[in-house]
Amino acid sequence: GQSLEQPSEVTAVEGAIVQINCTYQTSGFYGLSWYQQHDGGAPTFLSYNALDGLEETGRFSSFLSRSDSYGYLLLQELQMKDSASYFCAVRDNTGGFKTIFGAGTRLFVKA
Amino acid sequence: GVTQSPTHLIKTRGQQVTLRCSSQSGHNTVSWYQQALGQGPQFIFQYYREEENGRGNFPPRFSGLQFPNDSSELNVNALELDDSALYLCASSFGTDNNEQFFGPGTRLTVL
């Protein structure tokens, strides 16, 4: 089966850097994505890694190590508006196309 | 963008419900998710060019349709109390759907 693990909560101060880790277990791994969801809102796509290494998009970066089944999302220069839930999601093509989401990490940014 | 209707819906146990989604123009893939409060989205199924090509661990009473005009439906028969959740559709181009665009969701309450 497939499973993802990520911390349930992370707290950081405005202007700081925070890293949200994700470990996954899946048989047909095809890529790791990250989504942000504010309370009452829809998930919005942040980044995607298919290959090992770092992908940078503005203040957000995402890293993948396929050999370790591990990835992380790095948020720099934290702002209050970054307070939200962050989900890692793996693409699995075993027996059809699936996208499996983690339970989410709640990020609290304090002033 | 992606739109969904209705926004909220209240049904009673045993009833049937149809939820609708209009994908982003040009997208040929739609996925449906169930999200319980405080949890990550759970993959229900994916449709590509009007054919289901991926399914999560949901019983057959969850079914779907995708139409040529960028619209799709999620049908749930014999509603159970545990079906109460936010139902999200997400559209993308191609079956890899690494970047999915989510609609605002339909909040279903089963009494």
Side-chain angles (χ1 to χ4, degrees):
Chain A
Q2 305 99 353
S3 67
L4 294 93
E5 289 190 15
Q6 51 181 131
S8 57
E9 281 188 15
V10 173
T11 300
V13 296
E14 211 172 4
I17 299 173
V18 72
Q19 179 174 313
I20 299 174
N21 298 319
C22 175
T23 57
Y24 60 87
Q25 182 177 356
T26 181
S27 51
F29 178 81
Y30 202 75
L32 181 71
S33 301
W34 290 91
Y35 287 83
Q36 178 193 62
Q37 186 178 31
H38 287 98
D39 285 347
T44 56
F45 174 83
L46 293 177
S47 70
Y48 169 74
N49 296 71
L51 303 175
D52 292 352
L54 191 69
E55 293 284 340
E56 297 180 81
T57 309
R59 295 189 296 117
F60 295 170
S61 303
S62 58
F63 173 83
L64 174 65
S65 169
R66 288 175 296 170
S67 61
D68 296 321
S69 297
Y70 163 77
Y72 66 72
L73 179 69
L74 193 73
L75 296 84
Q76 304 182 71
E77 302 172 14
L78 279 175
Q79 302 175 10
M80 299 296 288
K81 68 177 182 179
D82 297 329
S83 293
S85 292
Y86 292 83
F87 297 93
C88 58
V90 296
R91 190 93 173 94
D92 188 318
N93 291 349
T94 306
F97 295 92
K98 305 180 189 67
T99 304
I100 310 302
F101 278 75
T105 298
R106 183 88 176 186
L107 172 63
F108 297 95
V109 180
K110 302 188 302 184
Chain B
V2 180
T3 59
Q4 293 186 243
S5 63
T7 306
H8 296 86
L9 198 55
I10 298 175
K11 291 285 189 177
T12 56
R13 194 170 48 183
Q15 285 188 310
Q16 178 267 342
V17 69
T18 297
L19 309 182
R20 293 180 172 83
C21 172
S22 180
S23 298
Q24 187 159 312
S25 180
H27 284 181
N28 53 16
T29 302
V30 65
S31 299
W32 284 89
Y33 296 86
Q34 179 194 68
Q35 187 175 28
L37 205 59
Q39 298 296 315
Q42 298 294 310
F43 178 77
I44 302 175
F45 43 56
Q46 174 180 300
Y47 278 78
Y48 171 68
R49 292 183 175 177
E50 303 160 48
E51 296 283 337
E52 183 183 299
N53 68 348
R55 190 175 184 91
N57 296 326
F58 281 81
R61 60 189 184 85
F62 286 78
S63 63
L65 287 170
Q66 184 186 25
F67 304 102
N69 63 350
D70 296 334
S71 67
S72 62
E73 291 180 354
L74 165 65
N75 299 288
V76 187
N77 294 321
L79 283 167
E80 301 176 358
L81 298 180
D82 285 348
D83 295 333
S84 295
L86 180 69
Y87 288 85
L88 296 160
C89 77
S91 74
S92 59
F93 182 78
T95 57
D96 290 341
N97 67 5
N98 305 311
E99 181 174 0
Q100 296 182 69
F101 294 82
F102 281 82
T106 294
R107 174 71 62 187
L108 173 65
T109 302
V110 182
L111 302 176

